[in-house]
Amino acid sequence: MTIDSEPMKEDLTPEELEDYSLSGEAGGESQAGSDDPFFVSKKAAAVYKHKLLKTYFPKFAGKAGSTEADKRLVYVDTHAGRGSYDDGTAGSPLLVAQDVAGMQRLRRIDCFFVEARKSNFEHLDDVLTRNMPEGARWHTRQGRASDHLQEALTFAGDSPLFMFIDPYGLGPTFDEVVMVLNRPRNGYGSKTEVLLNFIAMAFSRAGGYLRRAEKSAQQLTTLERLDKVLGGPWWRAVYLASESTAPAIQEIALGYAQRIQAKTNCSVSLIPVRDRAHNHPIYWLVHFTRHPDGVWWIREAAAYASEAWRRHCSPPPQGNDDGLFAVEDPFPAEEAARQAGWIDAIERHARRLLQEQGTIELPRDAQAVFGPETFGQAWAKHLRGALARLHKEGILEPKPLADGLDKYKGRRVQHS
Ligand SMILES: C[S@@+](CC[C@H](N)C(=O)[O-])C[C@H]1O[C@@H](n2cnc3c(N)ncnc32)[C@H](O)[C@@H]1O
């Protein structure tokens, strides 16, 4: 795996180097066993975000592109990385190249990739050249994301835009994210979405500089950068007021999302990705959209990604080589029990909601019916299972179907 372990750093600016050290990149895999509560190897951590992107992006492409006369939409990856890992596992650019190929007859997905580091850039370019289908329109740029943002927006033009912002460290400034989300567009609806990776370790390390009596010039610069990334110094008081780091970072992630929301009028979904050892979020995927379908499908995608992540965190036990003493994998049974519990919980929430308001309308009531235990964990299959029980009992009409569940409108049946 080379994104983590590659030793070449010469092609990085001091700012990028600082990003690497903030994210633990300098130590890479060798930090396994570190007591830093946020450390999980980068390749492992990527399982969740890649599953989410793989599930969500085709939904966005299908929906946002459907009403465009030219069926065109644009994907921008501001921190594209190498395209794939050296063992062939896809990074975000290869995942999207596969979507470009798979949807080519239905949608024109034009792509723009930016990567700062020369060696990564060369690998990226090679991966895309080999995997983008004939006729696809895509550009790669080597450099800093900020320096290519305007060009990326011009490239998007009036087409729907999905931007993936996936730095190792602090990422773009607050004003840059707001500018992207508020880009003017001629056409129906805003059709601009951002998925941003908010890395807990980067923010916790940088925030840690606040507590130091003596700060180096580099640390002062990083603190000022944090102000720019988070939209002002408001986060400093949050950090200093908190006794431990994880809740402070959580509050800062939430405050950041709310501040972007206030400037853009977007709906925001804040998706924590937790490590198994401490149950702390190691990063948040923050999704901004102005469309209710976006909120619905990002939650579905997060639920699928959670399942992939649980499986990844609980790999099957290794049997011995001769296969005589096969060790049973407990995961499938545990997962089945977990998912059965979700259906029970959703049924309880739906029953109460039906009693209180007489209707269940989706996507409006999604948060209430899933409830805090299952929101972002359970997906449509579980929701439908729970609603089907109420229908079978004769208190909910009509029957919930798999097709169109996201627009389901149910009402209470009164029995005399
Ligand atoms: C987390 S990795 C990207 C992974 C990729 N999005 C994926 O999912 O496979 C972050 C990448 O951003 C690059 N990078 C760091 N600073 C950057 C900047 N200012 N502009 C663009 N890329 C940058 C790094 O070299 C690294 O390859």
Side-chain angles (χ1 to χ4, degrees):
M1 207 293 286
T2 55
I3 291 186
D4 278 345
S5 58
E6 194 172 324
M8 289 176 61
K9 298 282 189 294
E10 304 80 40
D11 49 334
L12 295 184
T13 63
E15 189 185 76
E16 287 148 13
L17 263 177
E18 175 67 1
D19 260 19
Y20 277 92
S21 66
L22 285 176
S23 68
E25 171 67 2
E29 299 281 3
S30 67
Q31 283 196 17
S34 149
D35 58 3
D36 188 321
F38 294 120
F39 187 78
V40 171
S41 88
K42 285 186 169 48
K43 189 179 177 196
V47 166
Y48 191 110
K49 71 180 174 190
H50 287 155
K51 179 70 180 178
L52 183 121
L53 187 67
K54 189 70 200 157
T55 311
Y56 184 76
F57 180 66
K59 285 285 173 201
F60 174 81
K63 290 198 167 274
S66 65
T67 46
E68 298 299 302
D70 57 3
K71 305 287 181 226
R72 178 182 189 254
L73 63 127
V74 168
Y75 172 83
V76 175
D77 203 326
T78 59
H79 296 68
R82 291 170 66 79
S84 67
Y85 297 84
D86 280 1
D87 66 1
T89 305
S92 55
L94 179 53
L95 289 173
V96 168
Q98 290 162 351
D99 293 333
V100 173
M103 298 181 79
Q104 205 174 19
R105 292 209 345 252
L106 301 169
R107 297 285 176 272
R108 179 177 152 198
I109 305 174
D110 292 349
C111 300
F112 194 95
F113 302 92
V114 185
E115 167 55 42
R117 200 169 165 189
K118 186 164 176 283
S119 55
N120 287 355
F121 177 80
E122 284 163 359
H123 194 275
L124 168 74
D125 212 48
D126 179 54
V127 167
L128 291 172
T129 304
R130 284 187 288 106
N131 289 283
M132 277 290 190
E134 186 113 356
R137 210 173 143 222
W138 55 277
H139 295 300
T140 49
R141 296 284 182 265
Q142 193 202 332
R144 296 174 56 229
S146 302
D147 294 338
H148 295 281
L149 217 47
Q150 279 303 343
E151 191 190 357
L153 291 179
T154 305
F155 179 70
D158 284 329
S159 296
L161 167 65
F162 185 89
M163 185 177 283
F164 184 33
I165 302 177
D166 185 26
Y168 276 144
L170 301 180
T173 67
F174 183 88
D175 290 346
E176 285 170 337
V177 176
V178 168
M179 178 192 69
V180 170
L181 286 167
N182 285 343
R183 79 182 170 124
R185 178 182 116 86
N186 286 319
Y188 179 71
S190 131
K191 296 194 180 175
T192 306
E193 299 200 354
V194 166
L195 180 66
L196 183 143
N197 192 346
F198 190 98
I199 313 255
M201 178 147 34
F203 288 93
S204 83
R205 289 199 176 164
Y209 299 160
L210 271 185
R211 295 197 200 277
R212 300 199 182 172
E214 298 281 315
K215 298 175 187 58
S216 69
Q218 178 63 59
Q219 287 165 353
L220 286 169
T221 308
T222 299
L223 287 171
E224 278 163 25
R225 234 187 107 209
L226 231 77
D227 292 349
K228 289 209 173 86
V229 167
L230 293 169
W234 59 271
W235 65 275
R236 295 180 180 226
V238 174
Y239 196 96
L240 290 172
S242 182
E243 279 178 14
S244 55
T245 312
I249 301 298
Q250 176 143 345
E251 211 180 318
I252 291 169
L254 186 63
Y256 170 75
Q258 287 168 338
R259 281 168 174 79
I260 298 264
Q261 188 174 32
K263 292 272 184 201
T264 61
N265 210 17
C266 283
S267 298
V268 56
S269 301
L270 203 59
I271 304 162
V273 182
R274 297 173 191 278
D275 73 345
R276 190 166 58 138
H278 311 82
N279 206 31
H280 288 313
I282 45 178
Y283 59 94
W284 280 263
L285 292 170
V286 192
H287 177 247
F288 298 99
T289 178
R290 288 193 183 82
H291 202 287
D293 286 349
V295 180
W296 175 269
W297 288 109
I298 202 76
R299 181 202 43 70
E300 280 289 285
Y304 287 133
S306 298
E307 188 196 30
W309 181 238
R310 281 193 301 279
R311 172 78 276 192
H312 183 83
C313 294
S314 308
Q318 301 283 317
N320 58 349
D321 287 346
D322 58 15
L324 283 178
F325 299 101
V327 185
E328 203 189 331
D329 179 2
F331 183 80
E334 285 168 13
E335 189 64 16
R338 189 164 24 241
Q339 295 192 20
W342 291 342
I343 301 179
D344 294 343
I346 298 169
E347 183 192 339
R348 279 196 305 278
H349 300 310
R351 189 182 293 280
R352 198 182 56 235
L353 209 62
L354 202 57
Q355 271 159 10
E356 283 169 10
Q357 59 186 35
T359 57
I360 292 177
E361 282 195 18
L362 297 173
R364 184 194 70 188
D365 295 330
Q367 186 116 30
V369 283
F370 279 111
E373 320 92 299
T374 84
F375 193 84
Q377 303 283 320
W379 54 93
K381 175 177 91 170
H382 309 104
L383 175 57
R384 182 164 162 247
L387 296 181
R389 287 185 189 169
L390 301 183
H391 171 72
K392 205 162 170 208
E393 202 180 301
I395 59 170
L396 176 68
E397 282 292 349
K399 184 176 180 177
L401 303 175
D403 229 20
L405 189 69
D406 55 323
K407 304 276 185 297
Y408 179 77
K409 309 249 172 294
R411 61 181 192 288
R412 185 173 58 202
V413 177
Q414 302 280 15
H415 293 284
S416 48

